[in-house]
Amino acid sequence: MATTSSAELLQAEAELVRHSLGYLKSMALHSAVKLGIPDALHRCGGAASLPDLSSTLALPCSKRPYLSRLMKMLAVEGIFTAVAVDVDVPTASGGEGSVRYGLNPVSRLLVSGSGACLSPCVLMGTSPLFLEASLRLPQWFQRDGQGDQPAFAMAHGESPYGAAGHDTEFNALVNEAMGSDSRHMAELVVRECGEVFTGVTSLVDVGGGNGTMAMAIAKAFPHVKCSVLDLPHVVQGVVSTHESVEFAAGDMMEYVPPADAVLLKCVLHNWSDEDCVKILTKCREAIAQGAKAGKVIIIDAVVGSPSHSQQVLEAQVLMDMQMMMLFMSKEREELSWQKIFMEAGFSHYKIQPVLGMRSIIQLYP
């Protein structure tokens, strides 16, 4: 057995520290969003010194000395840029600063009011309900028996859907996160994959929440009449802002309204293989009722695509762990998808890995 060198041991130690304290990365990002740091930098023209940033944030004087440590960590992790400047250059607040922190493509996704603000997704992913569930994972792995429940249910006594059904704050957080993700995805889908909607005159967005995705599709493709199907507590009180979009309360396990196309955006990764077959069978029935055969459009991860970077793969396996924790479901590789499609009665499919962590899958009967 080869002897491990001192350099290798020290590097290994650093790796263990980096991973064991990795939760602080998430909490630092959570803090940045809650404090409004991306918005503050945006108001400063996209970059600011620490004195200017702390003044813009209106932090208590006792906490301002600690801001540099938060910003340094977030810059090291690639959330913000950090550029050294001449210390003799005065800042707008009258002080001096040797580092200017700025927005980059990552943190621009956290600026409020932008078309693709993903701050709600960050807040949902780092919410107390999710974090408490993650602490139950060791117990979950040790528990044996049929009818096992996910770590989330172990921690809270119910599923995320159950929690959202009565916890108005959590329900709002989930809806805001899903809406922001849909706005982000809709812009990219319309830009990169508009041909997917060629020939489609009607579409049902299954699990479409507040209709953000459906309304973006209807706006970009006026010939497509869209319906949003979701649970009653999700669509209750939602008002369509587009004349071609309507809402229906229902359970996709029981019925999916007929249409040329059925859209499932980040829905199937919440469910077991068996439940996915049930859902897709209902979708196949829905697209078979027209004069011509329709299709199902899936936006979800296809793990391990050769075109994906290491960062994308890491994001996918993290999402896979999250799905396991929340629902005992998973992100899937192509072979797993293929098995589900065939069992649900579909004959062929087409995968386009053009949406970063996620792909567009067109599914045909």
Side-chain angles (χ1 to χ4, degrees):
M1 182 175 178
T3 302
T4 305
S5 69
S6 296
E8 289 172 325
L9 286 171
L10 292 170
Q11 179 63 32
E13 179 193 27
E15 282 292 298
L16 286 177
V17 170
R18 191 168 67 87
H19 287 295
S20 62
L21 299 182
Y23 68 94
L24 289 172
K25 299 179 189 179
S26 299
M27 290 300 96
L29 181 59
H30 179 93
S31 298
V33 172
K34 295 290 280 187
L35 292 172
I37 292 175
D39 290 342
L41 290 172
H42 180 67
R43 290 195 299 271
C44 291
S49 65
L50 279 170
D52 288 346
L53 179 59
S54 61
S55 296
T56 304
L57 294 173
L59 293 178
C61 292
S62 61
K63 294 299 188 296
R64 292 186 181 187
Y66 300 99
L67 180 62
S68 63
R69 289 152 71 173
L70 176 64
M71 294 305 295
K72 181 186 294 184
M73 177 181 175
L74 291 167
V76 166
E77 293 301 324
I79 306 299
F80 299 111
T81 61
V83 179
V85 297
D86 188 342
V87 296
D88 294 326
V89 177
T91 63
S93 62
E96 294 179 347
S98 59
V99 178
R100 283 176 65 82
Y101 291 97
L103 298 172
N104 62 13
V106 177
S107 44
R108 285 192 186 97
L109 287 176
L110 303 174
V111 175
S112 300
S114 64
C117 177
L118 296 181
S119 287
C121 296
V122 170
L123 295 179
M124 182 180 72
T126 55
S127 66
L129 289 180
F130 280 28
L131 296 177
E132 289 164 14
S134 71
L135 294 175
R136 294 297 188 98
L137 281 172
Q139 294 171 265
W140 179 79
F141 271 106
Q142 292 171 331
R143 176 174 289 185
D144 192 14
Q146 296 296 319
D148 201 4
Q149 58 182 189
F152 187 96
M154 283 182 65
H156 305 295
E158 59 188 347
S159 71
Y161 298 126
H166 65 82
D167 185 332
T168 55
E169 184 177 347
F170 182 63
N171 186 51
L173 179 62
V174 170
N175 286 339
E176 288 170 14
M178 295 301 97
S180 68
D181 182 70
S182 291
R183 283 188 290 274
H184 176 60
M185 277 291 102
E187 181 180 322
L188 293 170
V189 167
V190 168
R191 183 195 308 169
E192 303 293 336
C193 315
E195 73 280 0
V196 169
F197 303 99
T198 301
V200 173
T201 60
S202 59
L203 178 144
V204 178
D205 185 1
V206 175
N210 62 9
T212 301
M213 189 79 178
M215 283 185 259
I217 291 170
K219 181 178 179 181
F221 306 100
H223 63 281
V224 181
K225 182 174 178 58
C226 297
S227 300
V228 177
L229 176 71
D230 217 316
L231 296 171
H233 76 266
V234 176
V235 299
Q236 183 179 10
V238 177
V239 178
S240 176
T241 59
H242 196 286
E243 60 183 8
S244 295
V245 178
E246 60 184 25
F247 289 83
D251 184 346
M252 62 187 171
M253 294 288 189
E254 302 296 332
Y255 175 72
V256 175
D260 292 343
V262 172
L263 174 65
L264 294 159
K265 185 191 80 69
C266 300
V267 170
L268 297 179
H269 70 171
N270 292 351
W271 298 92
S272 68
D273 290 354
E274 294 76 15
D275 284 334
C276 285
V277 171
K278 292 177 185 177
I279 295 166
L280 287 173
T281 299
K282 295 297 180 184
C283 293
R284 179 173 54 78
E285 293 169 358
I287 62 173
Q289 297 183 34
K292 61 178 182 178
K295 63 182 176 181
V296 175
I297 303 166
I298 298 170
I299 300 177
D300 231 319
V302 179
V303 179
S305 170
S307 63
H308 288 156
S309 66
Q310 182 63 28
Q311 282 181 310
V312 167
L313 178 59
E314 182 178 351
Q316 288 177 330
V317 296
L318 284 170
M319 291 195 312
D320 182 54
M321 285 291 291
Q322 184 184 62
M323 290 302 103
M324 181 186 77
M325 176 187 80
L326 296 177
F327 305 108
M328 286 175 60
S329 58
K330 59 187 174 182
E331 304 293 351
R332 294 175 171 89
E333 299 179 351
E334 182 175 351
L335 285 178
S336 295
W337 281 119
Q338 184 182 61
K339 182 175 182 292
I340 290 169
F341 297 158
M342 298 305 108
E343 289 184 10
F346 290 88
S347 62
H348 60 291
Y349 62 92
K350 177 183 177 182
I351 295 177
Q352 296 171 269
V354 293
L355 297 175
M357 299 178 295
R358 290 166 280 203
S359 296
I360 282 197
I361 308 173
Q362 296 179 75
L363 192 53
Y364 304 93

